[in-house]
Amino acid sequence: MTTLTPGRPAPGRTPPGRLTSGRSGRLTPARLLRRAPLNVAALAVLAVSVFPVYWMVLTAFKPTRDIQSQTPTFWPAHPTLEHFATAVSADGFWTFWRNSLAVTASAVLLALVVALLAAFAVARMRWRGRKAFVLMVFIAQMAPWEALLVSMFIIARDTDMLDKLSMLTLIYFMTTLPFTIVTLRGFLAAIPAELEEAALMDGCDRATAFRRVVLPLLAPGLMSTSLFGFITAWNEFAFANALIIKNQDDRTLPVWLSSFSNVFGTDWGATMAASTLFMLPVLLIFLVLQRRVTSGMIAGAVKG
């Protein structure tokens, strides 16, 4: 018979805070050595991915003489905000910023509403043609939307929708809808249906049960899905460049950035400053919603 002494762990148990050896989670030198190539490869991929963004922001703060210098510098010796002032004061900057924000926000909100209803029907209901519908959504998600550029242009021309932001909003809505449906379906499937059933037994109708029980649990998924949809629509260039031809005041910011070098000649500092400002909305939204987005991605990966 084994006598347990107060303050001592039971035989075979590890004291709290002490790492075990062998196949446990302890990082031994041998395991660290085996992981070293993977860690180096991950750092190399990170450096290659982040360096263009770093160089863009760095160039935005460099004086013009340092940008045109043949010897590259990896840190601004004399940082300046001159290029940002040039970009902000450029003709049409705030107009195109407002156009991009209005089109992207409208498309994402519309896609969230429609995709939420479709995902709920797919995840919670059983109806004829459900599997075929899911298959068509997956096919639409995999299809390259740029292949439909010519047909979209013809439709917009025949319906007198060229040079209109409403047509651009509908296209962005269609491009973000399949991804939103697929993602929200995974989030809804991860929420136990028994919670809704309990609310229905307590006297709630289906709409009230969804609003009070499912929707709060779905909030992280909605935020993460809306963020990725926002990035997709915010960075889109091909459709905006092809469908906004005559009315230049309805251009979006990516199209305006493509002609920025023509307006300012060789002023690459202003171009990089405008690109940095273009990146800020997505970065700020991600920083604000970081916790919700991370938890939503983890929840969506649990059950699909």
Side-chain angles (χ1 to χ4, degrees):
M1 181 176 180
T2 303
T3 304
L4 296 179
T5 304
R8 290 187 178 182
R13 294 186 180 180
T14 303
R18 182 180 298 177
L19 294 177
T20 59
S21 58
R23 296 183 178 180
S24 64
R26 185 178 180 180
L27 294 178
T28 61
R31 295 187 64 182
L32 287 175
L33 187 61
R34 288 196 301 269
R35 289 187 178 185
L38 294 178
N39 294 334
V40 172
L43 290 176
V45 172
L46 178 64
V48 172
S49 302
V50 174
F51 183 77
V53 180
Y54 169 75
W55 193 257
M56 177 187 69
V57 178
L58 176 66
T59 306
F61 285 98
K62 280 184 179 181
T64 303
R65 64 179 181 274
D66 293 343
I67 297 175
Q68 298 176 351
S69 175
Q70 295 183 355
T71 304
T73 56
F74 296 91
W75 188 259
H78 305 285
T80 178
L81 297 177
E82 177 185 357
H83 302 308
F84 289 94
T86 303
V88 172
S89 60
D91 185 26
F93 175 79
W94 294 110
T95 300
F96 303 138
W97 182 287
R98 184 176 62 250
N99 292 343
S100 292
L101 188 60
V103 170
T104 302
S106 301
V108 170
L109 289 176
L110 187 59
L112 279 178
V113 173
V114 177
L116 184 59
L117 298 176
F120 183 83
V122 171
R124 286 288 191 265
M125 301 178 182
R126 297 293 180 267
W127 39 279
R128 183 177 299 178
R130 183 174 64 93
K131 293 184 179 179
F133 174 78
V134 174
L135 179 61
M136 288 191 299
V137 171
F138 274 104
I139 293 176
Q141 172 65 23
M142 293 184 295
W145 286 97
E146 287 75 10
L148 303 177
L149 184 59
V150 176
S151 59
M152 289 292 184
F153 178 85
I154 295 174
I155 293 174
R157 182 197 61 188
D158 294 343
T159 56
D160 196 23
M161 293 290 287
L162 282 176
D163 296 309
K164 293 184 179 179
L165 292 177
S166 56
M167 183 64 183
L168 208 57
T169 303
L170 290 176
I171 291 177
Y172 290 172
F173 159 70
M174 289 187 295
T175 55
T176 56
L177 183 61
F179 168 80
T180 310
I181 293 177
V182 170
T183 309
L184 288 181
R185 172 179 171 267
F187 288 126
L188 280 169
I191 299 176
E194 290 79 6
L195 298 177
E196 282 183 87
E197 296 174 356
L200 293 175
M201 294 180 63
D202 290 339
C204 295
D205 55 12
R206 184 169 289 276
T208 305
F210 179 80
R211 186 178 69 253
R212 294 185 177 181
V213 177
V214 179
L215 201 56
L217 298 175
L218 196 61
L222 290 173
M223 291 182 181
S224 58
T225 306
S226 61
L227 176 61
F228 285 104
F230 187 92
I231 294 174
T232 301
W234 182 259
N235 294 327
E236 203 283 323
F237 172 79
F239 286 102
N241 187 47
L243 300 180
I244 307 297
I245 303 174
K246 297 179 181 179
N247 191 3
Q248 299 298 317
D249 290 337
D250 284 342
R251 290 186 299 176
T252 57
L253 210 54
V255 180
W256 178 74
L257 282 174
S258 67
S259 61
F260 199 83
S261 59
N262 295 330
V263 177
F264 290 93
T266 57
D267 193 352
W268 292 107
T271 305
M272 295 298 103
S275 302
T276 302
L277 293 175
F278 175 72
M279 181 186 64
L280 281 182
V282 176
L283 180 62
L284 292 177
I285 292 175
F286 179 79
L287 291 177
V288 172
L289 304 179
Q290 182 180 8
R291 287 188 176 182
R292 291 297 186 105
V293 170
T294 305
S295 61
M297 292 174 61
I298 295 174
V302 173
K303 184 177 180 181

